[in-house]
Amino acid sequence: MTAMRVDAKVVMLGKESVGKTSLVERYVHRRFLVGPYQNTIGAAFVAKALNVSDKVVTLGIWDTAGSERYEAMSRIYYRGARAAIVCYDLTDSSSFKRARFWVKELQNCEEHCKIYLCGTKSDLIEADRSVRQVDYHDVQDFAEEIGAQHFETSSKTGKNVDEVFQKVADDFSSCALEFMQEEKGVDLEQKKDSYFDNCCHN
Amino acid sequence: MPDARMAADVHNKGVFWEVKNGNLAPSDRLRQDRSDSPTPGLVEGTEPGAGQEGAMFVHAQSFEDLTAVSESNTDDNSAEVGDSNLESAQEAALEGGEEESLEAEQEEVGKEEVQSRKKAKEEDVTSETWRSHRKHVFVLSEAGKPIYTRYGTEEALSSIMGVMMLLMSIVEDKKNIIRSIHADGYRVVFLRKSPLILVGVFQTNCSDRELTRELQYIYYQIVSLLTLTQLNHVFQHRQSYDLRRLLAGSEHLTDNLLRLLDRDPGLLLSAVMCLPLASSARDMVSSSLQAAKAKNLVFSILLAGNRLVTLVRKKDQFLHHMDLHLLFNLVGSSSSFRAGEGWTPICLPKFNPAGFFHAHISYLEPASDLCLILVSTDREDFFNLSDCKKRFLERLRRRNAYQSLQEALNMPSYPVSQVGIPELRHFVYKSKSSGLYTSPDLPAPYQGEEELERLMGLYQQLHSCLHNPTRLLRYIYRCADTENLYALVTSGFELYLCFSPLGTKSLAVSAVNKLLKWIRKEEDRLFILSPLTY
Ligand SMILES: Nc1nc2c(ncn2[C@@H]2O[C@H](COP(=O)(O)OP(=O)(O)OP(=O)(O)O)[C@@H](O)[C@H]2O)c(=O)[nH]1
Ligand SMILES: [Mg+2]
């Protein structure tokens, strides 16, 4: 598992067509693809490096398929993840139910995985408030209850997209730092690489 | 929770491979005595395009469902038809059916123009357009629940599905299986593959065997997404299960496969086309791929669009051409693998319908058509395979092979004029022992979608005649208004030639030898003659 130096594994979860792939496309390639919707098959992996204060952190992002067909396989995609971006479509209340399912699954199976709730397609809401089906405050309450972060994004306009991933990376490195300071004797300068490797593939 | 389904995984079973070897390895043939002057009497293994070190693929003929559909040993028998019988056999073919079939084609063409190009799921199932589609395919469960329809929505079709169920149950009562109904220019073909029922309604005069083969493809497409184990499991659990839940998002794969069936001669011939490439370049690519191996890697496949660049396999493991076509279809109908490195469970149903392999699928470069598929038995293998890909690319670049590959890709295949046969417009040549075929670029008259499908339809009819188990033919010559066709099958190869209406039969007959010589001369560019294993 050393082919790619990835510091933190991040997994995208959520019902199909909520916009997980679009979110990753926007963040990694700075684009929004219009055209017929192409559902993801299995999962797609991309690595993306970003700066956290003066360090570089590489996120290994797993964009999973929302189709139920792959549910049985989902564990291989989220196992060992440091962060899960659980997406729901702001204009589709059933997608939020599905998001709750993923939260429960993560709480049961990956207790060290931080959860980021992400309401997608906020541009549609801005264009027409009446299409909103998931209330901001309801999700905010839920997020506090489970100790998650909460964002509303648009991959079409790019709104809040960088913020989500930046937050993921910030949280990861500050948590890693905290962790290291607790375990005295780890030399931050020399052992950084090996520490991060252990940390993300445990 | 998902562990019952995970049990379908193929990895970690020690005996698994051994069992498979016994079944899948093709019998040893004498491949060393390759003939220099190819003649139609060539035996399998010596025809142009035959691999030097054995096949890459398992032979279609050795498989249950192709034999189950009343296929007697067409190939062997047809080789025995002596020359004296040929004329009469061929006259018979000419008398029967030619006129009517041509009329029917004209009609089909007319109707094609009416229908819209893109699939309209919402279209009204009571409309004339819906009814006039040339090829309908329905999939339903044994409880009669609709699973897939090519046109229209499944919900709107429940009454039609009901009628189909009724038809099947009536006939099955008498301990018979209904295979097909012919009426009024339509053929309704049934394929029962528990727990699924597939029904095709075709406006065609192809044989039921051809049509059943298409339904089988659709069946295996579904199995490749779910495995047969999981399919049986969900229906054992609940007979009335709505399978569309598990298949959600895969409809376009089936739609695309149906399009391929109409357009790609490979699916008709059970063969795969290679990207024409200088053998030195191909060898370089193959050996680079061979070197980039990993413990659980079973197949490494490099595709260029719908053409094969190379395939390296684990020793003693063979891929079935149908599984390869399903992989082609998966890659070709989805842009998903352009988003990053894909990692997906995939069942190769002809290899083993019970379990999943795990495929690493990625393009060599973002805008390139070169797609690498690495198939492993281990679902934890992603980073290992990702590393294999990297090593493969490094090696290619070091040897400057990447450039020649990219150049070959940008060139058209080859124009038929290179062969130098007057009046020849197009041909399809399949080497039986390698399971590979070659075909020139489509000439102008066949470049439109409809014209392409019409040409493929003609080939399909010839194929259907040549492989008719009750009337064995070795070759057929057929004149039509817009082209003359000649098809020939021997124990070593299958050949379909399309001439302009100015071509004559004697021209066609003499063209065969010339063409075979040309293919022999070009074979190391057009075929993969020395397939590698890890
Ligand atoms: N207006 C708008 N449309 C969006 C946005 N994000 C995604 N979409 C659209 O929603 C559809 C689904 O987007 P994807 O990103 O492919 O969805 P997904 O979650 O990856 O779906 P699966 O791969 O099937 O799980 C596409 O048609 C996108 O164009 C957004 O922010 N705004
Ligand atoms: Mg997606």
Side-chain angles (χ1 to χ4, degrees), chain B residues 155 164 167 215-216 230 235 341 352 356 400:
Chain B
E155 291 84 356
M164 289 171 186
L167 278 172
L215 294 181
Q216 275 162 352
Q230 189 180 344
F235 284 111
E341 293 172 74
N352 179 358
F356 277 125
N400 297 323

Side-chain angles (χ1 to χ4, degrees), chain A residues 14-23 32-41 63-67 87 89 120-124 153-157:
Chain A
K15 191 182 160 172
E16 59 184 326
S17 90
V18 295
K20 300 176 293 295
T21 303
S22 303
L23 201 62
F32 179 71
L33 300 175
V34 279
Y37 147 63
Q38 283 269 0
N39 50 303
T40 303
I41 291 169
D63 170 23
T64 67
S67 167
C87 301
D89 180 340
T120 59
K121 313 190 187 177
S122 65
D123 57 289
L124 296 177
T153 62
S154 166
S155 307
K156 192 172 179 184
T157 65

Side-chain angles (χ1 to χ4, degrees), chain B residues 7 18 122 159 162 219 269 295 350 354:
Chain B
E18 283 147 41
E122 312 75 24
S159 60
Y219 166 73
L269 295 177
K295 184 162 137 271
K350 297 301 258 174

